[in-house]
Amino acid sequence: MTPLALLGVISSAIFSGTSLLYTTLGEIVGERSGIVNLGLEGVLLVSAASGFAASAVSGNPYVGVLVAMLAGGLMNLVLGYLVVTRKANQLASGLALMFFGFGLSAWIGRAYVGAKIVGLPRLSLPGLSNLPILYGSLLSFDPLIYLVLPTAVLVWWVLFRTRWGLSLRAVGEAPDTAFAAGRNPGRIRYRALLVGGLLAGVGAAHLSIAYAMNWTEYMTAGRGFIAIALVIFSKWHPLRAIVGALLFSGAVAFQLLLQSSGIQVSPFLLNTVPYLLTLLVLIGWGGRRKYAAPASLGRVYQGTE
Amino acid sequence: MAEPTDRRAPAGPRRILNGGLRYAAMAALAFVLFGVILRLAGKDPLQAYRDIFTSTLGSAYGISEVFVTMTPLLLTALAVALPSRLGLINVGGEGQLYMGALLATWAALRFSHLPSWLLLPMMIVLGMIGGGLWAVPAGYLRAKGIVNETITTLLLNVVAPSIVAFFVFGFWHSPMDTNKTPNFVPAARLPTLFGTRVDLSLVIGVGLLALFWFVMTRTRWGLEMRSIGGNPWASRRNGIPVQRYIVGVMVVAGGLAGLAGMAQVSGYYGVLLANFSRGLGYMGFLVSWLAGGSPLGILVTSFVVAVILTGGNLLQLTRDVPYSVINILLAMTLFVVLARPRFQRRRKTA
Amino acid sequence: MKTKSLPSIVAVVVLAALLLAACGQAAPSAAPTEAGPCLTIGALHGGPINDAGYNQAMHESVMAIQESIPCVKIIEAENVPEEAGATSTMENMIQQGAQMIIATAFNHQYPALELSAKYPEVIFEHAGGWEMGPNFANFFGNPPDTWYLMGVAAGLMTESDQLGFVAAFPLGWTLTFINAFELGAQSVNPDAETTVAYTFAWGDAAKEADATNSLINQGADVVTMHVDSPATVISTAESRGVYSIGFQSLAAQQFAPENWISGTGYTLGDKLTWLASTVIDGTWEPIFLRCGIEDGCMAMAPFGPKVPQEVKDEVDRVRADIAAGNLVVFAGPIVDQEGTVKVADGEELSADAMGSVDWFVEGVNGSPK
């Protein structure tokens, strides 16, 4: 296992973990306000398709990222309308949104399959640009990757250090109390969903515009559900999500390395490890208040919400 | 999910008619919305709908195809409806499906020399065991109050296809086949009816729906389950073994979904394909939810959903619309129901 | 009560109208007019037809039929999910009047075979399979020879002596391609090694990017693949500054303007046209059709800008050798990774055997399972 190979695993984990992290951050914001979005997969697909299409049409990847963000936000607002205004069942609404996303993304993306786009530029950190291209290309990341850590910190800061974040979390814990204290839970949830959707859109954009630079139907391959699991794994905390995202995506990259080193570990079994880990974490830490889900979210899972 | 049956007026033709009208109204609204989208994309909506209806209801072949699509939905919806009577949310149909298919496939491959009347029941039982076992962690953890069954089943949903893929690639596929097992021997295939692709599992599914109705309305178990669903604390006080019910019901539900999986590989496909289910479990959840968990509702809803899904096949050929787009129509129908427009007076249920 | 039921009534009326309209539609919309098509062909693809890969190559081959025989009508379906969706799609096509079905995805074989028993008057042609029937046959190009040529090019161009191969599944044919590639590379560069990475999906772009990067990180400086669409692998290789060789469709070259070596693609248009013409004049017979680069079924892409003239000449020379029959790719002795002789001296690997290969030649790193 050469240093290049190890570096490669880390680089791969960062590349594929970025879109996962953005998506997870978005879902954390939404779930902290008490809304779980089972349709995240559909949201990602629509954002990825729209962003890719916009990039192909405009020739500008940044336009694509913006469009993807917008698409994500809009999709989440649909969920918001159903769940907040019409008070529909969250799980069913999320799944309906997922199917909607399957269909809509296929339609949007169809004309652009195989299109060649200008991806996001990849910039090396200063001082590293003198490395041979083989190494250098591992360490040159696109702007979205550079922004993901600051974004995670920003999300953490907003959620835990601002009044807005406090209101959001209050709504997530006890919406009726928050209402009595003069907050508008409905409006706060809408805002939370919008922000969540924008973040998810960035994650999707990274996948189709910066990483794979391609669009195919169902290309997110379950990342939405991975993010939902990751939210649970990181106990609804943005900073812990960073570790989780690296872990989840590092496992995939590591498995590829093992494959060609001749070590026979089934990639499928390795795939299951993150989820089993999440389950173990839940069982182990489930009781403690600090790590529990936001209370009104818990009621969604109980079916009493 | 709070159970509306307790508060509704007793069932009668009037109520069924009203319910039917509401359904039709919502379906119509959904079709109109989808038609608008088609028009925006430059397609002719009326022709598209005609295509959907002619290819499904317009011929015997079409109707048989609808039944083929409907069959797994019946079972996966039932797998959601049963636990919902207890107030449990089982979104794990997808995973339980896969595990049922896995065990059934193992039997089909291992015992391929056995005659059909021995092999098929074995596969059915194994299918139910597979799905049931997969639901045990969710039931147990919920009964002990450690983790919600929603979360557990969601996580296990992702794990199950990976395990199936592991077996397919690790042990079962031959170099000629890409991502599937060898074809099942005829003895391992569920018999089809009347020369169509509809297989025995449709009959099994309808039978189980009837059984479900009977158990819920006419037996003591049904009464106890509804009592737990309405008020678990009081039920426990009254001596109903709530925990045992939770685990037991989840296992049975898992078994139903596992049966659906077995039917898919034995009846529909005749082979185990990695990733053979594109959301059948979730579709079942939606069907059950749309139907309010009622057996008759499940029958009707799964039929309607099947019509939509089957009709979409022709759309791709004639209207140059990707097959996946039919999901939009499905979603529109769901959105309309979820948004509860004014002509549907529903109490605030979960 | 009145206001509540009015919308419902309207809705029911609308729904009933739709149903009546549907029932009133007697004939299918593709009713033939006087000058009907001389042949209606239904073609189905497993993936999108503009994927710059396998599906695009097949799509173009099918469309070539229409160019040569303008009176042919073609109904096409893309993204047909394996197996079950294929059956309903083919049935629908037959009901729309298709008299010939061309199923291009590997997994369409058994559904097509079953339907061929049900519709004996419809001709079924499947790409890449092995089953045969009275109205069921298959056709395909002959990639191993061209893979050998690509191996020759790769073996000469590589500086690290490490070649990378991204594969979808450990399928018999895939292993054969890899073996041919490695044999070709070894013939001009005995130290060349090929490392294989599986994505376990025909078209998962993220996994393909990951696999490509992983191979490059292990030292490969020429990358090629057997997945549905070469686009992601090639773009990723290009972004890392590594050579790439394309497969499936010649359209892949656009993704690697600088570091492209060459590529091969399926150009089955002529053969499909010939098959269609036999169906039209009724002389169709089931044949196991395989044809290679000499017959025009496979084509080689133009060389990229960085390929020196000597390499081009060598590849052409080897190509002529194969065409003349002087060189057979899988002629013995061939030894596998463990040293067992798989093809003895003086023997050749048959086409049947190629489809069920489960071993790698010496020099390939990776597991054949």
Side-chain angles (χ1 to χ4, degrees):
Chain A
M1 237 162 266
T2 67
L4 180 62
L6 277 173
L7 196 59
V9 171
I10 298 177
S11 166
S12 230
I14 295 179
F15 260 103
S16 84
T18 297
S19 68
L20 189 56
L21 186 53
Y22 275 114
T23 312
T24 309
L25 290 172
E27 183 62 13
I28 287 181
V29 173
E31 290 198 17
R32 276 279 179 182
S33 79
I35 302 195
V36 58
N37 183 1
L38 281 188
L40 196 51
E41 188 72 9
V43 174
L44 287 180
L45 279 169
V46 171
S47 307
S50 335
F52 187 77
S55 298
V57 164
S58 67
N60 184 336
Y62 296 104
V63 168
V65 174
L66 277 171
V67 170
M69 285 175 73
L70 222 68
L74 283 173
M75 286 288 280
N76 260 19
L77 284 180
V78 170
L79 183 71
Y81 175 70
L82 288 173
V83 169
V84 178
T85 308
R86 305 309 280 180
K87 301 202 188 342
N89 177 301
Q90 284 192 25
L91 301 175
S93 307
L95 288 177
L97 193 69
M98 174 179 88
F99 284 112
F100 183 60
F102 282 166
L104 189 60
S105 62
W107 213 351
I108 295 177
R110 178 163 177 259
Y112 300 99
V113 176
K116 185 167 185 308
I117 58 159
V118 178
L120 285 177
R122 298 206 181 157
L123 320 158
S124 305
L125 293 169
L128 287 175
S129 39
N130 295 326
L131 287 173
I133 188 168
L134 215 53
Y135 282 88
S137 54
L138 274 181
L139 294 173
S140 52
F141 303 119
D142 57 73
L144 286 179
I145 298 186
Y146 287 124
L147 285 174
V148 78
L149 282 184
T151 308
V153 174
L154 182 65
V155 169
W156 168 81
W157 186 78
V158 166
L159 275 180
F160 291 95
R161 291 279 184 271
T162 66
R163 294 192 72 198
W164 189 81
L166 185 60
S167 308
L168 198 154
R169 284 184 294 130
V171 167
E173 298 290 342
D176 299 327
T177 315
F179 180 65
R183 305 265 174 268
N184 185 337
R187 206 184 305 163
I188 291 180
R189 281 179 165 164
Y190 261 114
R191 290 204 197 120
L193 281 175
L194 180 61
V195 169
L198 292 175
L199 284 170
V202 176
H206 187 254
L207 187 61
S208 67
I209 302 178
Y211 190 35
M213 285 188 278
N214 201 355
W215 160 261
T216 37
E217 281 191 25
Y218 304 113
M219 84 175 284
T220 51
R223 272 183 174 71
F225 286 104
I226 298 179
I228 294 179
L230 194 49
V231 168
I232 301 172
F233 181 77
S234 41
K235 297 310 217 160
W236 294 271
H237 196 284
L239 296 180
R240 273 196 282 272
I242 301 176
V243 174
L246 273 178
L247 227 87
F248 275 47
S249 42
V252 174
F254 191 58
Q255 168 262 119
L256 278 169
L257 183 63
L258 286 181
Q259 225 191 72
S260 14
S261 305
I263 302 180
Q264 280 285 74
V265 181
S266 167
F268 304 106
L269 290 185
L270 216 60
N271 262 345
T272 67
V273 169
Y275 308 101
L276 296 175
L277 264 180
T278 307
L279 201 49
L280 286 174
V281 163
L282 275 174
I283 298 176
W285 269 290
R288 281 198 255 162
R289 188 77 188 86
K290 183 175 172 213
Y291 297 117
S296 84
L297 189 69
R299 287 207 291 280
V300 173
Y301 286 136
Q302 302 273 22
T304 50
E305 166 86 0
Chain B
M1 213 186 298
E3 191 42 59
T5 19
D6 301 322
R7 279 175 275 158
R8 263 191 221 155
R14 186 64 162 315
R15 197 183 116 224
I16 295 181
L17 187 61
N18 253 337
L21 278 179
R22 278 206 294 271
Y23 263 118
M26 293 189 290
L29 184 55
F31 276 84
V32 167
L33 285 173
F34 186 58
V36 169
I37 295 186
L38 280 175
R39 174 54 88 200
L40 284 176
K43 315 281 176 201
D44 176 4
L46 282 180
Q47 187 58 43
Y49 286 131
R50 247 179 267 162
D51 286 341
I52 294 184
F53 283 118
T54 39
S55 67
T56 52
L57 305 173
S59 67
Y61 171 70
I63 296 189
S64 79
E65 282 298 299
V66 170
F67 281 131
V68 169
T69 312
M70 177 177 157
T71 311
L73 294 180
L74 282 178
L75 289 167
T76 46
L78 199 48
V80 177
L82 180 61
S84 76
R85 295 302 172 111
L86 250 67
L88 297 172
I89 304 179
N90 176 21
V91 270
E94 197 78 3
Q96 292 143 14
L97 226 167
Y98 271 106
M99 294 315 273
L102 183 71
L103 256 66
T105 305
W106 174 79
L109 294 177
R110 182 91 173 67
F111 298 111
S112 51
H113 51 276
L114 286 182
S116 184
W117 58 269
L118 267 182
L119 188 53
L120 278 178
M122 190 191 300
M123 286 170 67
I124 290 180
V125 168
L126 278 174
M128 298 186 74
I129 291 181
L133 279 179
W134 202 241
V136 165
Y140 178 76
L141 289 173
R142 168 62 195 261
K144 292 292 180 203
I146 305 179
V147 189
N148 283 121
E149 73 284 4
T150 316
I151 300 182
T152 321
T153 48
L154 266 179
L155 289 174
L156 291 178
N157 271 354
V158 187
V159 174
S162 289
I163 296 185
V164 168
F166 170 64
F167 276 94
V168 171
F169 287 105
F171 305 106
W172 288 338
H173 93 288
S174 61
M176 299 276 258
D177 298 308
T178 48
N179 49 349
K180 54 191 169 87
T181 63
N183 291 338
F184 286 8
V185 296
R189 306 281 316 260
L190 279 172
T192 55
L193 308 171
F194 310 120
T196 64
R197 287 206 296 170
V198 185
D199 63 55
L200 198 59
S201 52
L202 178 64
V203 176
I204 298 180
V206 174
L208 284 173
L209 268 181
L211 184 62
F212 174 60
W213 172 82
F214 182 75
V215 167
M216 290 314 292
T217 54
R218 298 270 185 272
T219 68
R220 181 163 152 236
W221 296 316
L223 185 60
E224 294 193 338
M225 281 197 264
R226 278 185 286 151
S227 144
I228 298 177
N231 192 336
W233 309 115
S235 309
R236 193 171 288 144
R237 274 303 185 83
N238 272 316
I240 299 179
V242 175
Q243 288 193 350
R244 230 180 286 168
Y245 263 108
I246 292 182
V247 179
V249 162
M250 281 304 284
V251 168
V252 172
L256 289 168
L259 181 59
M262 174 261 169
Q264 283 284 288
V265 290
S266 165
Y268 190 50
Y269 284 106
V271 82
L272 175 60
L273 200 58
N275 298 317
F276 66 86
S277 167
R278 269 273 156 76
L280 276 176
Y282 295 121
M283 206 86 81
F285 179 84
L286 288 170
V287 167
S288 168
W289 183 84
L290 275 174
S294 93
L296 186 60
I298 290 180
L299 203 59
V300 172
T301 312
S302 51
F303 183 77
V304 171
V305 170
V307 166
I308 296 178
L309 291 176
T310 313
N313 239 321
L314 188 62
L315 266 191
Q316 198 208 165
L317 297 179
T318 53
R319 297 298 126 218
D320 198 31
V321 162
Y323 172 72
S324 196
V325 166
I326 204 67
N327 281 314
I328 298 185
L329 178 54
L330 186 65
M332 284 293 161
T333 320
L334 293 163
F335 283 161
V336 168
V337 174
L338 284 163
R340 282 190 287 237
R342 216 168 301 142
F343 50 74
Q344 202 227 334
R345 207 123 305 180
R346 271 260 265 254
R347 283 155 237 96
K348 181 194 176 203
T349 51
Chain C
M1 188 55 183
K2 291 217 174 82
T3 43
K4 191 168 97 169
S5 56
L6 183 58
S8 313
I9 293 179
V10 170
V12 173
V13 168
V14 169
L15 209 54
L18 281 174
L19 279 171
L20 280 173
C23 294
Q25 189 82 349
S29 34
T33 53
E34 261 109 297
C38 48
L39 177 67
T40 306
I41 301 182
L44 41 155
H45 307 278
I49 53 180
N50 44 359
D51 66 351
Y54 181 76
N55 295 297
Q56 182 162 340
M58 285 295 157
H59 163 75
E60 282 166 8
S61 306
V62 168
M63 286 323 221
I65 304 179
Q66 195 163 53
E67 281 168 26
S68 313
I69 314 179
C71 64
V72 160
K73 174 176 167 185
I74 300 189
I75 310 175
E76 248 188 329
E78 48 175 348
N79 280 319
V80 177
E82 343 264 34
E83 308 285 319
T87 308
S88 9
T89 307
M90 285 188 273
E91 288 259 17
N92 278 330
M93 286 175 172
I94 295 175
Q95 287 188 356
Q96 296 256 308
Q99 298 138 311
M100 179 179 183
I101 300 276
I102 302 182
T104 63
F106 199 70
N107 281 332
H108 292 162
Q109 185 177 213
Y110 286 107
L113 190 59
E114 277 179 28
L115 276 183
S116 72
K118 190 172 168 192
Y119 293 103
E121 69 286 356
V122 176
I123 306 289
F124 289 80
E125 285 279 355
H126 175 253
W130 55 88
E131 298 281 355
M132 298 282 285
N135 57 335
F136 183 94
N138 52 68
F139 66 94
F140 212 45
N142 214 357
D145 289 348
T146 30
W147 273 114
Y148 188 85
L149 293 173
M150 293 299 109
V152 167
L156 290 171
M157 295 291 291
T158 176
E159 281 154 45
S160 67
D161 291 339
Q162 289 284 340
L163 312 172
F165 199 105
V166 177
F169 296 100
L171 167 65
W173 278 109
T174 307
L175 301 189
T176 298
F177 298 164
I178 297 173
N179 286 338
F181 184 66
E182 172 65 12
L183 286 173
Q186 277 174 2
S187 71
V188 292
N189 180 349
D191 298 322
E193 286 188 356
T194 304
T195 310
V196 180
Y198 296 108
T199 61
F200 288 103
W202 281 116
D204 185 338
K207 286 221 184 82
E208 285 163 21
D210 273 340
T212 312
N213 278 321
S214 174
L215 288 170
I216 297 175
N217 298 338
Q218 291 176 52
D221 64 351
V222 180
V223 178
T224 184
M225 78 301 290
H226 182 204
V227 290
D228 258 358
S229 167
T232 307
V233 175
I234 295 182
S235 336
T236 313
E238 186 75 353
S239 72
R240 299 287 303 271
V242 153
Y243 292 123
S244 52
I245 293 184
F247 184 49
Q248 312 280 28
S249 158
L250 303 176
Q253 185 160 9
Q254 45 163 331
F255 293 102
E258 280 188 31
N259 292 311
W260 172 268
I261 295 182
S262 177
T264 54
Y266 295 99
T267 47
L268 293 156
D270 285 344
K271 276 290 178 275
L272 285 182
T273 308
W274 173 76
L275 280 173
S277 64
T278 61
V279 174
I280 293 179
D281 40 276
T283 56
W284 185 90
E285 272 176 3
I287 27 175
F288 187 84
L289 186 72
R290 289 294 183 271
C291 48
I293 196 168
E294 315 80 55
D295 314 307
C297 287
M298 311 261 341
M300 239 172 60
F303 288 101
K306 285 195 182 169
V307 182
Q309 191 59 41
E310 319 82 75
V311 176
K312 295 188 203 179
D313 291 338
E314 179 68 16
V315 173
D316 284 335
R317 195 189 62 77
V318 177
R319 177 176 172 175
D321 260 353
I322 296 183
N326 298 336
L327 176 62
V328 174
V329 172
F330 283 108
I334 300 184
V335 178
D336 77 0
Q337 287 171 313
E338 271 112 49
T340 325
V341 175
K342 283 296 183 179
V343 181
D345 202 344
E347 285 180 2
E348 288 175 15
L349 198 62
S350 68
D352 276 341
M354 282 190 213
S356 29
V357 158
D358 62 354
W359 45 269
F360 278 138
V361 299
E362 241 181 339
V364 177
N365 298 324
S367 159
K369 245 183 58 79

